[in-house]
Amino acid sequence: MKNSKKLTAIVLSAAMMMAMAGCGSSSDGSDAASTGSSASSDSIAAESNEGTVASVDDLPGAKIGVQLGTTGDIYASDYEEEGSTIERYNKAADAIMALKQGMIDCVIIDSQPASVFVAQNDDLKILDEPFADEEYAICVSKDNSELTDKLNSALAELKEDGTFDSIINNYIGEEAGNSPYESPADVDRSNGTLKMATNAQFPPYEYYEGEGIGGIDADVAQAICDRLGYELQIEDMEFDSIITAVTTGQADFGMAGMTVTESRLKSVDFTDTYATATQVIIVRK
């Protein structure tokens, strides 16, 4: 699931229309879509910053945009000691808008959503040099090891029988759109409901499809619940609220393209890894 695989036009347009519609404020309350400057000022800012970041070596001293609480935020924070300014936004789309307006020099983000944003904005590009590799897993409360074991068991079954690969291929690759996941008609859901905390601003893993939430993580979670006999309830929230929701019992598990990190392992447990991804850098052309 790294780098060069493409998404279908359906996923791109649906995800980006919803993501860009949500553009508005950064985490510090500033308006990413409206800078308060004239169009000519924005143009001058964009021109003056163009080409500032051409490789990872150029990050020290740069203005870096990230989504608040994400792995990109964690990694970018290391550059604050080297003179970089980190601008944190509640939505990745807000960071992308700020980049387009010349308010920041680059955005650090996971490769798959980066591909979505760049496909819809021909003035942006992804640097060839990867920033960092990471692994995605499902976070669960440390007090609920039984659920962690059940999720791991279901994940193993989905990988073994090909269901997991089918879900991935429905969103990424040449066969995208040809294998949508459907729950079996005879599923027994007598075990109750599992609540999943996510941030539906991360295509192709989770994003809004009409009034519902779709994407790779949503489908994998549904397939897991089908195997375990649960109803699935997805709760959309800010990314940096997911772990809190899990640790306080507001959600049973968190699934949002979440990377396993040492700092997060202090608060929650993680299932086995279900995906490998790459952090990349988006810049203006």
Side-chain angles (χ1 to χ4, degrees), residues 14-255:
M16 286 305 302
M17 286 177 65
M18 296 309 305
M20 297 307 290
C23 291
S25 59
S26 67
S27 59
D28 62 2
S30 62
D31 191 341
S34 175
T35 65
S37 302
S38 65
S40 60
S41 296
D42 287 342
S43 177
I44 293 173
E47 182 178 351
S48 63
N49 285 327
E50 185 174 2
T52 300
V53 175
S55 73
V56 174
D57 293 338
D58 295 325
L59 290 176
K63 292 183 178 180
I64 305 170
V66 296
Q67 184 179 8
L68 180 67
T70 62
T71 309
D73 185 359
I74 295 171
Y75 290 157
S77 297
D78 293 338
Y79 286 89
E80 288 181 302
E81 297 180 359
E82 300 185 49
S84 299
T85 300
I86 312 302
E87 298 292 344
R88 297 173 171 89
Y89 301 85
N90 287 325
K91 298 181 177 65
D94 292 356
I96 294 299
M97 184 63 71
L99 175 62
K100 288 170 66 67
Q101 294 177 336
M103 299 167 62
I104 54 179
D105 300 319
C106 66
V107 172
I108 295 177
I109 190 173
D110 298 62
S111 61
Q112 293 300 338
S115 297
V116 174
F117 288 121
V118 169
Q120 292 294 315
N121 295 275
D122 58 10
D123 56 337
L124 303 179
K125 67 178 181 180
I126 300 172
L127 295 183
D128 293 335
E129 181 183 7
F131 180 67
D133 292 326
E134 57 187 345
E135 295 182 333
Y136 294 162
I138 303 170
C139 72
V140 186
S141 171
K142 288 184 174 294
D143 298 328
N144 201 351
S145 59
E146 181 180 356
L147 178 58
T148 302
D149 291 341
K150 288 181 178 179
L151 295 176
N152 278 332
S153 177
L155 276 172
E157 289 182 14
L158 295 175
K159 292 177 181 179
E160 179 70 23
D161 67 14
T163 301
F164 185 84
D165 285 342
S166 178
I167 290 173
I168 296 295
N169 293 337
N170 187 56
Y171 292 92
I172 301 173
E174 296 293 340
E175 301 301 318
N178 293 335
S179 57
Y181 178 76
E182 294 184 6
S183 297
D186 59 349
V187 172
D188 176 10
R189 304 193 188 282
S190 58
N191 287 330
T193 299
L194 286 180
K195 294 182 179 179
M196 165 183 161
T198 194
N199 175 245
Q201 303 290 335
F202 191 67
Y205 286 92
E206 41 268 317
Y207 58 91
Y208 276 96
E209 290 182 320
E211 296 182 358
I213 296 173
I216 293 171
D217 285 348
D219 284 0
V220 171
Q222 183 62 68
I224 288 173
C225 286
D226 291 345
R227 296 299 175 98
L228 298 178
Y230 289 94
E231 292 280 356
L232 174 64
Q233 180 179 331
I234 302 179
E235 299 287 343
D236 184 24
M237 61 187 66
E238 300 296 342
F239 186 88
D240 62 341
S241 298
I242 293 175
I243 288 180
T244 299
V246 171
T247 57
T248 59
Q250 299 175 56
D252 295 298
F253 65 92
M255 196 171 184

